[in-house]
Amino acid sequence: QVQLVESGGGLVQAGGSLRLSCAASSSIFSVYAIGWYRQTPGNQRELVATINSGGSTNYGDSVKGRFTISRDNAKNTVYLQMNSLKTEDTGVYYCYYRPVPDRSAYWGQGTQVTVSS
């Protein structure tokens, strides 16, 4: 069982920045994928950004160019730097950890991000 603890959410004005952190209880060095999904009001959970063991990243279309995912293997932590935030980025952000392709992913409890106009 992998525990994921998110932090860094909060309230920010449009145009501002936040950095989310997700600390894993297990090593992320060789994890298949780790990253972030979000659920915005009235919508299904969607991809924000993931990063794999080789460092390749994948971003949702709505955040490309504004958000950056990174990882610190020594701390078993993945980060999401969110810049130029928009009101439509408001939602609950969930950390995602998939150890290998054919196993279920683990999810964090979520952290609320609210962007005000």
Side-chain angles (χ1 to χ4, degrees), residues 12 50-51 64-65 71 76 90 103-104 106 114:
V12 64
T50 59
I51 186 167
K64 286 179 181 177
R71 59 193 288 168
N76 292 328
T90 294
R103 283 186 59 186
S104 298
Y106 296 92
T114 302

Side-chain angles (χ1 to χ4, degrees), residues 20 36-48 87-95 107 109-114:
L20 304 183
W36 300 89
Y37 281 70
R38 70 184 181 189
Q39 188 154 16
T40 55
N43 295 307
Q44 293 185 335
R45 194 172 295 190
E46 63 176 355
L47 169 72
V48 177
T87 55
E88 51 263 44
D89 293 318
T90 294
V92 180
Y93 285 67
Y94 296 93
C95 186
W107 295 91
Q109 79 285 357
T111 186
Q112 176 71 42
V113 171
T114 302

Side-chain angles (χ1 to χ4, degrees), residues 11-16 85-90 114-117:
L11 174 65
V12 64
Q13 286 191 325
L85 282 161
K86 305 176 181 180
T87 55
E88 51 263 44
D89 293 318
T90 294
T114 302
V115 184
S116 64
S117 58

Side-chain angles (χ1 to χ4, degrees), residues 7-13 15-21 66-68 79-85 89 91 93 111-115:
S7 60
L11 174 65
V12 64
Q13 286 191 325
S17 299
L18 281 175
R19 189 176 83 151
L20 304 183
S21 300
R66 300 187 297 123
F67 291 10
T68 303
Y79 303 97
L80 184 69
Q81 178 65 43
M82 306 187 292
N83 298 329
S84 302
L85 282 161
D89 293 318
Y93 285 67
T111 186
Q112 176 71 42
V113 171
T114 302
V115 184

